[in-house]
Amino acid sequence: VRSVNAPLEPRGGAIWMATSGGLAKLNPKDLRSSPDNPLFSVYRPENPKSNSILNLFEDADGQVFVGTSDGLYRLTETDGRYALEMVNLGDPLTEMLEITAIIKDRSGVLWVGTWANGLLRLLPGGRVERYTNEQGLPGSNVDSLLEDKNGRIWVGSSTKPSRL
């Protein structure tokens, strides 16, 4: 059974659904489905452990990031064909790298919340910083992220909210 975890309507006009069975794109032509005109096209990462799509995020440049049950992906499009390209997040602390939240701050840094692996900060050039209990997070389970009007990143966790 597939469930929708998050919808996204990026600037390009497509409607994407994060589902438990992959990334689904709604066919905008017609809501009647047929073999020649399916209602949804489904895209999956090469890693089958990543098939459950948990959340979606579009940055200011129109780049769509896809958080999965095992890693972060970037949605790419070439000549009308879509693919999911893995984003390097460094070495995970646990076997699975479940992505629970994604934001990009005003300076263009991508912040990625995880379940059991804390908070990841992807810096220009590909360097990854990890924040856990040792850096002040109350727990390793990040549920949500928010940048406030002063540029502070707020982290919602299963334990209690924290501010970096």
Side-chain angles (χ1 to χ4, degrees):
V1 174
R2 289 192 180 148
S3 61
V4 174
N5 298 319
L8 177 68
E9 183 179 6
R11 283 181 228 121
I15 296 181
W16 293 95
M17 302 286 179
T19 77
S20 59
L23 180 62
K25 180 179 182 268
L26 178 66
N27 182 347
K29 293 180 185 172
D30 192 350
L31 293 181
R32 291 173 293 191
S33 184
S34 72
D36 295 332
N37 184 34
L39 184 57
F40 287 99
S41 299
V42 178
Y43 302 89
R44 293 179 182 90
E46 287 184 23
N47 175 5
K49 292 192 294 186
S50 299
N51 282 347
S52 184
I53 309 297
L54 305 174
N55 49 62
L56 302 170
F57 173 77
E58 180 185 24
D59 70 11
D61 298 325
Q63 180 64 68
V64 174
F65 291 91
V66 180
T68 77
S69 53
D70 192 22
L72 180 67
Y73 291 80
R74 183 178 290 113
L75 180 66
T76 61
E77 188 261 331
T78 305
D79 299 326
R81 302 187 84 125
Y82 294 94
L84 294 170
E85 174 185 296
M86 186 172 219
V87 176
N88 183 0
L89 296 176
D91 294 327
L93 299 175
T94 61
E95 189 174 309
M96 297 282 283
L97 189 59
E98 186 174 323
I99 306 301
T100 55
I102 309 164
I103 64 168
K104 193 176 259 191
D105 67 22
R106 62 186 70 185
S107 65
V109 172
L110 194 66
W111 295 81
V112 179
T114 72
W115 186 260
N117 284 287
L119 178 64
L120 306 175
R121 182 176 179 220
L122 284 69
L123 298 166
R127 192 166 62 101
V128 178
E129 293 178 349
R130 185 180 312 272
Y131 299 90
T132 63
N133 299 64
E134 293 176 8
Q135 290 78 27
L137 282 183
S140 296
N141 300 331
V142 174
D143 296 318
S144 58
L145 296 170
L146 172 77
E147 180 181 21
D148 70 17
K149 65 181 180 178
N150 296 316
R152 292 179 293 212
I153 303 298
W154 290 84
V155 180
S157 73
S158 297
T159 310
K160 63 182 179 177
S162 175
R163 186 186 82 182
L164 292 179

